[in-house]
Amino acid sequence: MIVNERETQEGLLVAVCDEDVLGETFAEGEISLTVTEEFYGGDPVDEGAVVDSLARASVANIVGTRAVELAIEEGFVDEANVLDVGATRHAQLLRMD
């Protein structure tokens, strides 16, 4: 998986994607999702690093079947809130303090 972290005024923004979806566009009905290098590009990491990043995130965007499954397994995302977009999955996390 690939993780991109950036600090914002609202806190840590984390973008996570499966490596095989980077640069791809997915569509389902009126929804279109492009996994851009500018937003999602970063360093390939193992699952432990993904979990660490998501644990520190104020906001996270997660794309890819495995990345979303990991976020569900680790309790960051409820499966009922996951979108199936074409051949991939997308979830968002917003932590409010």
Side-chain angles (χ1 to χ4, degrees), residues 39-78:
F39 189 79
Y40 288 94
D43 299 319
V45 297
D46 64 20
E47 291 185 357
V50 172
V51 171
D52 179 61
S53 289
L54 291 175
R56 294 181 290 107
S58 298
V59 177
N61 286 278
I62 308 157
V63 180
T65 302
R66 181 62 199 131
V68 171
E69 284 176 3
L70 180 63
I72 293 167
E73 289 167 9
E74 295 295 327
F76 295 111
V77 173
D78 186 327

Side-chain angles (χ1 to χ4, degrees), residues 1 4 6 8 10-11 14 18 22 30 39 43 45-47 49 64 67 74 79-81 87-88 94:
M1 282 174 256
N4 185 325
R6 49 178 85 70
T8 70
E10 292 77 30
V14 174
D18 291 351
L22 189 63
E30 304 233 347
F39 189 79
D43 299 319
V45 297
D46 64 20
E47 291 185 357
E74 295 295 327
E79 188 159 13
N81 297 318
T88 197
L94 174 61

Side-chain angles (χ1 to χ4, degrees), residues 3 25-26 32-33 41 44 49 56 60 82 84-85:
V3 171
T25 297
F26 301 92
S32 177
L33 172 66
R56 294 181 290 107
V82 172
D84 291 312
V85 184

Side-chain angles (χ1 to χ4, degrees), residues 17-26 34-36 63-65 87-88:
C17 71
D18 291 351
E19 289 186 54
D20 64 336
V21 302
L22 189 63
E24 300 291 327
T25 297
F26 301 92
T34 301
V35 188
T36 64
V63 180
T65 302
T88 197

